[in-house]
Amino acid sequence: MNQKKPDNQNNNSQPPPTRWGSLVQMLIILALIPYVITTMMTASMKADNREIMYSQFLSLVDKEYVASVEVTSSQINIKLKPGVEEAAAEILNSDISQAQKPVTYYTGVIFDPGLSANLYEKGVDYKHSIPQTASMFTVIASWVIPFGIAYIIYFFFTRSMMKRMGGDSSSMGFMGGVSKSKAKVYNVEKNVAITFKDVAGQDEAKESLVEIIDFLHNPEKYVKVGAKQPKGALLVGPPGTGKTLLARAIAGEAKVPFYHLTGSEFVELYVGVGASRVRDLFQTASKDAPCIIFIDEIDAIGKSRDNSLSSNDEREQTLNQLLSEMDGFDPSRGIVVLASTNRPEVLDKALLRAGRFDRRVVVEKPDLIGRESILKVHASKVIMGDDISLHEIALATSGATGADLANIINEAALRAVRLGREFVIQEDLMESVEVVVAGKEKKDRILNSKEKELVAYHEVGHALVSVLQKNSQPIQKITIVPRTMGSLGYTMNVPEEDRYLMTREDLLSQITMMLGGRAAEIVKFDTITTGSSNDIERATSLARNIITIYGMSDRFGPMGLESTTQQYLDGRKVLNCSDDTGSEIDEEVRKILDSCQQAAIDIIAANMDSLDRIAKFLIEKENINGEEFMKLLNDKDKTSAA
Ligand code: ADP
Ligand code: MG
Ligand code: ZN
């Protein structure tokens, strides 16, 4: 007995419902009340009522079975005389067992001016009843309850807003104290598992961050000498180069808590929210020192205050708060503020001055060696076959960022699974390079044979011009399989190494190669197609750069005519010259393009037999790799020699 009692108690005691749970229940119950009331009311009305036809009602009256009639605005309730049920059942053609129950009937109201005379004649008691008291409750129910619900929803809405604003909402009165915790827009990672090992390449960036790590390990060492560490460092670079990754790795290396948040999360519609979040963040973090605060995409708050047309009070307040917090904290306690951006040029100068984000770490797109080591890092997480050459992939991905490379490895792994293999082979990797560069193969887009011929000649035109020029570039692959990103085919060049310096001749031969596709169309078919739009766009922009950015034209010489505004994004340019000069630039661009196109046409015209031979092969096979291409090209020498 003694032992059983506690047992019983245990069984009965259920976990107490959470406060939110009970509130939700309450809301549901409140919402159900009007429904319950109306169903109850109609149910009681319909208790043992049966609807009959108006004609049946008239027959009942006619046969003098009806004792009394009550007409309401919507229906006529009919009471039968006692003892006539059986007879009435015949008219109503219902079975007797049902009819024997004391039933009242009702029917709808029909415009029938003769009814009252008729009823009077048959001696039926009748009256028209006015709805009143019963509906008082309905009125209350149907008006007050929706308002009540609306109020409750509003109440929770404002409350959660207050919470997100970091305000204390316990003073809100009824149902107060749901949660007094302040909203956090930042994430804290106490043990970051990522270290510098996970960030491949980027050696220069790492080097300049080593000191920060050492400082976080041992702030006293610096304080003793009187050396001040920078309070903040700004990671700058194009998207996907590993800025976020690098910041996390610093925390991992230093083994300190990592406070991570995104600039845009600070700024909301409500003025003052961002500022209070900044204050909150620095307060919490300073209790946790040494630690790292990382503000990702800081340009969302750090935009220069005076260069925007629409002033944004909220952003300015947030920025001001951030500036004053950065001045306020004591760096010897070991707090380092990191931030990342890909638009450093828009940042407010006040953020960049000494004592704030004065250290700038540039995170560039990886070079050949960097790409290979990034590929290695990501390949180590995937099962690879024996034929893998990451070097080859690195060569083929000039200009790719770390994120692109991670994506390529993942796409390759997905392809391997799709094809039922348990490891990744080189072909998967090459295919996924193409997927990332040009989109997926589009199997359902079938070119007709004329189109296929045009595309094949176009692509072989590019390839021939590319290989046969003075500054030739080897061909990696030619394909005429359409891809999802709009290309009907393409030619892949692979440089043997990364190039950092280009001569004027290099650039011109690139333009010539871009126009090689169109040149082939002109020479072979004496026509031009829409397939060159992308070639033309790229060729034009390169020709323009030759003149305006690189200062390589005879006409203008070393005069800077355009400047880039978003160096790390799409690199939009603004013209820095008069309108007259602008139209002269257009003329010069046109000259370059014309002469390059002529050069391409000359090369193609001199190599028609190679063009035909390779295009024929390509139409048949749809893909040609670099070796096959060179073999086909060299066949010519044999045939012409023979
Ligand atoms: P960013 O913040 O510069 O836009 P991220 O740090 O978010 O770029 O990088 C995106 C992803 O790309 C990372 O999660 C990682 O998988 C991969 N990545 C980028 N750079 C590198 C690198 N240097 N080494 C390894 N992986 C990288
Ligand atoms: Mg990022
Ligand atoms: Zn083309």
Side-chain angles (χ1 to χ4, degrees):
M1 222 20 208
N2 270 347
Q3 275 199 326
K4 208 163 185 181
K5 215 173 173 184
D7 248 35
N8 265 346
Q9 271 180 348
N10 267 349
N11 286 342
N12 290 341
S13 69
Q14 283 159 353
T18 62
R19 279 168 165 164
W20 272 109
S22 61
L23 283 169
V24 169
Q25 281 169 10
M26 195 158 159
L27 274 179
I28 290 171
I29 291 168
L30 282 175
L32 283 178
I33 285 176
Y35 173 75
V36 171
I37 288 171
T38 41
T39 35
M40 265 165 53
M41 279 166 57
T42 46
S44 75
M45 262 193 295
K46 283 183 181 166
D48 34 15
N49 268 12
R50 275 188 49 208
E51 185 174 6
I52 59 172
M53 312 253 268
Y54 198 78
S55 56
Q56 292 172 325
F57 163 57
L58 290 182
S59 305
L60 289 172
V61 173
D62 224 34
K63 292 252 155 84
E64 299 188 0
Y65 293 158
V66 178
S68 66
V69 165
E70 182 200 20
V71 183
T72 71
S73 56
S74 61
Q75 66 184 52
I76 302 172
N77 296 320
I78 305 146
K79 228 184 220 141
L80 298 186
K81 286 179 183 162
V84 300
E85 282 89 355
E86 217 163 304
E90 240 167 69
I91 293 173
L92 305 175
N93 45 37
S94 59
D95 62 79
I96 294 165
S97 65
Q98 245 186 354
Q100 265 165 353
K101 281 190 220 150
V103 177
T104 57
Y105 297 95
Y106 67 95
T107 184
V109 177
I110 285 182
F111 181 68
D112 182 359
L115 180 65
S116 111
N118 192 6
L119 291 173
Y120 188 73
E121 195 179 298
K122 301 287 178 195
V124 179
D125 295 335
Y126 68 93
K127 68 169 181 186
H128 186 106
S129 68
I130 305 149
Q132 25 159 288
T133 40
S135 59
M136 263 311 275
F137 190 66
T138 327
V139 170
I140 291 171
S142 61
W143 281 93
V144 173
I145 288 173
F147 273 111
I149 290 169
Y151 172 74
I152 287 167
I153 290 169
Y154 166 80
F155 173 82
F156 281 106
F157 188 69
T158 45
R159 173 186 203 86
S160 62
M161 200 100 84
M162 294 282 290
K163 265 174 59 188
R164 283 163 64 200
M165 286 163 74
D168 189 351
S169 54
S170 62
S171 59
M172 291 280 294
F174 128 85
M175 286 189 199
V178 172
S179 155
K180 286 185 183 169
S181 74
K182 288 184 180 169
K184 276 187 268 171
V185 287
Y186 50 83
N187 298 312
V188 192
E189 276 178 62
K190 296 280 172 178
N191 298 304
V192 183
I194 290 170
T195 62
F196 275 175
K197 273 211 304 294
D198 301 290
V199 188
Q202 306 299 359
D203 292 331
E204 297 77 18
K206 284 184 197 168
E207 214 165 87
S208 50
L209 292 165
V210 165
E211 204 179 64
I212 290 182
I213 293 167
D214 188 46
F215 167 68
L216 287 168
H217 269 311
N218 194 353
E220 294 85 32
K221 186 167 98 188
Y222 290 80
V223 174
K224 217 183 273 170
V225 186
K228 280 209 192 83
Q229 261 296 317
K231 285 182 176 174
L234 186 65
L235 304 173
V236 177
T241 45
K243 299 183 293 299
T244 308
L245 188 72
L246 199 54
R248 183 163 276 131
I250 297 167
E253 286 285 325
K255 299 192 176 60
V256 297
F258 183 63
Y259 283 75
H260 172 208
L261 59 110
T262 301
S264 59
E265 287 168 345
F266 267 139
V267 183
E268 289 207 359
L269 211 51
Y270 308 99
V271 176
V273 180
S276 90
R277 282 177 183 169
V278 172
R279 210 177 308 121
D280 184 34
L281 169 68
F282 276 83
Q283 253 172 27
T284 322
S286 69
K287 286 179 204 138
D288 228 355
C291 68
I292 288 177
I293 297 175
F294 176 52
I295 306 173
D296 213 351
E297 319 281 342
I298 197 176
D299 40 281
I301 33 177
K303 265 200 205 117
S304 178
R305 278 167 289 188
D306 50 28
N307 70 1
S308 62
L309 289 176
S310 60
S311 94
N312 184 335
D313 278 348
E314 164 63 357
R315 207 183 56 223
E316 280 186 21
Q317 279 201 18
T318 310
L319 177 57
N320 284 334
Q321 187 67 37
L322 182 63
L323 294 176
S324 79
E325 292 290 344
M326 285 201 70
D327 287 342
F329 75 79
D330 177 6
S332 63
R333 303 212 25 214
I335 299 180
V336 171
V337 186
L338 298 177
S340 84
T341 182
N342 35 42
R343 306 179 58 194
E345 68 282 346
V346 303
L347 290 183
D348 200 290
K349 294 287 166 290
L351 263 180
L352 304 174
R353 78 145 167 77
R356 288 170 185 155
F357 292 107
D358 48 359
R359 188 166 287 200
R360 187 184 281 219
V361 179
V362 179
V363 187
E364 289 281 10
K365 285 188 181 172
D367 56 8
L368 181 61
I369 297 165
R371 287 199 299 276
E372 194 174 339
S373 57
I374 292 173
L375 285 167
K376 235 177 241 159
V377 165
H378 289 277
S380 69
K381 299 166 194 160
V382 175
I383 301 173
M384 292 283 178
D386 300 330
D387 70 333
I388 296 290
S389 158
L390 294 178
H391 182 73
E392 197 185 323
I393 305 298
L395 271 176
T397 47
S398 168
T401 62
D404 294 334
L405 297 171
N407 190 14
I408 284 170
I409 297 276
N410 191 47
E411 285 285 340
L414 290 175
R415 183 174 187 266
V417 174
R418 202 159 48 231
L419 299 183
R421 245 181 290 109
E422 284 175 353
F423 53 89
V424 174
I425 59 173
Q426 186 74 359
E427 197 191 315
D428 296 329
L429 285 171
M430 283 316 288
E431 171 63 24
S432 71
V433 169
E434 285 179 50
V435 168
V436 171
V437 172
K440 275 204 166 37
E441 281 187 4
K442 211 167 178 174
K443 300 244 165 62
D444 56 344
R445 177 176 293 169
I446 294 167
L447 300 177
N448 68 35
S449 58
K450 183 69 198 166
E451 283 173 332
K452 211 166 166 183
E453 200 183 1
L454 275 165
V455 174
Y457 272 92
H458 177 106
E459 296 307 333
V460 177
H462 281 306
L464 275 180
V465 173
S466 169
V467 173
L468 296 175
Q469 281 188 102
K470 254 197 271 119
N471 304 294
S472 69
Q473 281 193 2
I475 295 297
Q476 169 90 19
K477 178 176 176 173
I478 312 174
T479 169
I480 53 169
V481 180
R483 300 252 161 192
T484 46
M485 275 148 92
S487 75
L488 297 176
Y490 66 91
T491 306
M492 214 162 121
N493 291 83
V494 175
E496 271 141 0
E497 57 198 357
D498 278 8
R499 299 285 301 272
Y500 299 102
L501 211 53
M502 299 278 235
T503 62
R504 185 167 189 266
E505 289 67 38
D506 289 334
L507 295 176
L508 289 177
S509 64
Q510 271 193 11
I511 296 179
T512 309
M513 186 221 142
M514 289 170 192
L515 297 173
R518 165 152 288 195
E521 290 170 14
I522 293 172
V523 176
K524 175 71 190 176
F525 301 104
D526 194 20
T527 186
I528 45 183
T529 68
T530 54
S532 306
S533 58
N534 183 35
D535 299 333
I536 289 173
E537 193 181 326
R538 281 165 48 221
T540 309
S541 113
L542 186 50
R544 212 179 164 79
N545 286 354
I546 287 178
I547 298 163
T548 62
I549 306 263
Y550 305 132
M552 288 174 174
S553 66
D554 296 333
R555 182 127 169 202
F556 298 106
M559 180 177 177
L561 296 165
E562 275 183 344
S563 54
T564 315
T565 50
Q566 298 178 352
Q567 184 189 356
Y568 296 113
L569 295 178
D570 54 359
R572 194 163 297 132
K573 306 207 190 62
V574 283
L575 215 52
N576 294 335
C577 58
S578 70
D579 288 351
D580 287 350
T581 316
S583 53
E584 281 180 48
I585 292 172
D586 292 340
E587 245 170 68
E588 284 294 298
V589 169
R590 168 111 204 259
K591 265 191 217 155
I592 290 184
L593 292 173
D594 277 346
S595 79
C596 287
Q597 170 140 326
Q598 195 51 53
I601 289 176
D602 292 345
I603 293 174
I604 298 283
N607 292 279
M608 279 307 283
D609 50 338
S610 298
L611 181 72
D612 286 332
R613 186 160 9 89
I614 301 172
K616 195 170 145 242
F617 185 87
L618 181 60
I619 292 166
E620 216 169 280
K621 295 273 162 71
E622 297 201 332
N623 293 302
I624 300 186
N625 65 29
E627 283 161 37
E628 287 169 329
F629 177 82
M630 287 318 286
K631 210 165 136 268
L632 283 166
L633 185 63
N634 292 332
D635 276 354
K636 173 189 82 172
D637 302 337
K638 280 182 219 148
T639 44
S640 58

